[in-house]
Amino acid sequence: MTRFAGVYVAIVTPFTSDYEVDYKRLTELCDWLIQEGVDGLVPSGSLGEYATMTAEERAKVINTVIAAAKGRVPVVVGSAAPSTRQAVEWVQFSKDAGAAGVMALPPINYKPLLPEVFAHYEALNTVGLPIIAYNNPHDYKIDLTPDILAELSKLENVVAVKEFSGDVRRMQDILAQTDLEVMIGVDDLVMEGALIGATGWIAGVPNALPKEGVEIFRLARAGKLEEAQALYRRLLPLFHFDASPQLVQSIKYMMELADFPVGPTRPPRLPLPEDYYAGIKKAFDYAVGTAAGK
């Protein structure tokens, strides 16, 4: 049985104009995404700006999302932290709060040695909550290659990987060499990943376009190539923004365009140049079919 199948949205954290967490809006966001058909929610990830939060804010965000979900969809919590001890504490907190699993990065502050990577996940494994190992070699110093994942998969609770290398061939290798579920980790490989066997997608742009995100993933998983291709080509220019370091500002702006504003990003993330926003709007209009001539 696949534990984490379908579209799991890595949700943004709404802020007020003075950068306070807007918990009411966060609850509304969870309700809207669930009503639009997403399969799961992932708070406390990089898209959720966890690194800018106090421990109290982060705990309240996790509790708010789990309470808002009301058991309708699973909640998988991002557990990244500067130390293994802190990460273990967040996994334990998430388990106690009722999360279905955690999305867990390897050590994030430096390039760890392999024994340190394994020891980190071994410590997380002891909590007893299902773990989605998060491979993001672009933003962090370690690449969880298929051979490393094969070793990690021997841990009872490491059941899946969020694959963010950007190489679709990597997904094939993981499926061939491990028994892990593969979850697409970058939006602009969603169709390719789903077609070759990825069973889940931890998504960014579907914060703004959840219905379209669910549709493209299900079409691709069903092998309906012609229908999937038509939709994917519309969405792809927008999906490219998920692979940029400015993804948080970009996706929050998309949500404004989708009439679901969630406030600013917290510094050090600042507003983007106007020409960057113009590019997002052009891609958004194309995606929803309101561009000139569409």
Side-chain angles (χ1 to χ4, degrees), residues 173-187:
D173 291 336
I174 295 168
L175 289 167
Q177 296 178 37
T178 80
D179 59 358
L180 296 174
E181 299 171 24
V182 174
M183 303 186 78
I184 300 151
V186 61
D187 289 359

Side-chain angles (χ1 to χ4, degrees), residues 144-228:
L144 299 180
T145 57
D147 57 326
I148 295 173
L149 289 169
E151 288 299 311
L152 290 177
S153 69
K154 295 175 183 178
L155 296 171
E156 178 185 3
N157 293 304
V158 177
V159 299
V161 58
K162 176 184 176 182
E163 194 356 70
F164 196 87
S165 71
D167 185 348
V168 71
R169 296 168 298 180
R170 177 70 67 85
M171 298 186 205
Q172 292 277 30
D173 291 336
I174 295 168
L175 289 167
Q177 296 178 37
T178 80
D179 59 358
L180 296 174
E181 299 171 24
V182 174
M183 303 186 78
I184 300 151
V186 61
D187 289 359
D188 57 5
L189 277 181
V190 61
M191 189 184 81
E192 295 87 348
L195 285 171
I196 66 168
T199 50
W201 171 27
I202 297 181
V205 171
N207 274 280
L209 296 175
K211 191 172 291 184
E212 291 84 348
V214 169
E215 184 178 1
I216 181 59
F217 188 74
R218 292 184 179 166
L219 286 171
R221 281 288 296 159
K224 296 182 178 179
L225 185 55
E226 187 173 344
E227 295 171 70

